[in-house]
Every structure is written in structure tokens, then in C-alpha cells.
Amino acid sequence: PQTYEIFPVGSDRFAELARGVLIEHLADCVRDGVQPIASGRHARHVLEVMLAAHQSAREGRIIDVVTTF
């Protein structure tokens, strides 16, 4: 399976596409019939981290993150 390492940050391809490497990766996965690296579990975890950071800043305390991926 493909990995994001094929477009490492700082590479010419990453510089050309920036976050678009994720779209290209998804299109490659659809074409090749493989699972993308990112998943719903990953997205849920990222969302929890973002919301916890916001709550932590608002309340001035540490917020535990419970999800993993």
C-alpha cells in the first residue's frame, strides 16, 4: 500500500500539492482498490484533540483525550 512517505514534507511533490497530497492519495486508493491511510477512527481522534485543545484553552486546564487510532 502507498504511504504518505512517498510525498514527504519538503519534497517537490509536497511543495506543489501541499494538503492536496491527501486528495491525490485518496484518488490513488480508489484507483488501486486499497484502503486510504486516513480513516474515520483517525478523523474522530483528530477532532477530539482539536476540541480538547479548545476546551483546555477556554477553561485553563488539561483535558484528557480518550480516543486512539
Side-chain angles (χ1 to χ4, degrees), residues 16-65:
E16 179 182 345
L17 295 176
R19 289 186 199 159
V21 297
L22 300 174
I23 302 300
E24 186 171 80
H25 169 68
L26 180 59
D28 291 344
C29 289
V30 170
R31 180 195 64 218
D32 299 337
V34 298
Q35 288 289 103
I37 293 171
S39 68
R41 289 178 54 218
H42 186 188
R44 180 178 177 213
H45 177 69
V46 170
L47 178 60
E48 182 186 15
V49 169
M50 291 172 16
L51 293 172
H54 184 259
Q55 182 180 358
S56 177
R58 189 175 61 245
E59 298 178 9
R61 64 183 184 94
I62 295 172
I63 305 298
D64 290 329
V65 174

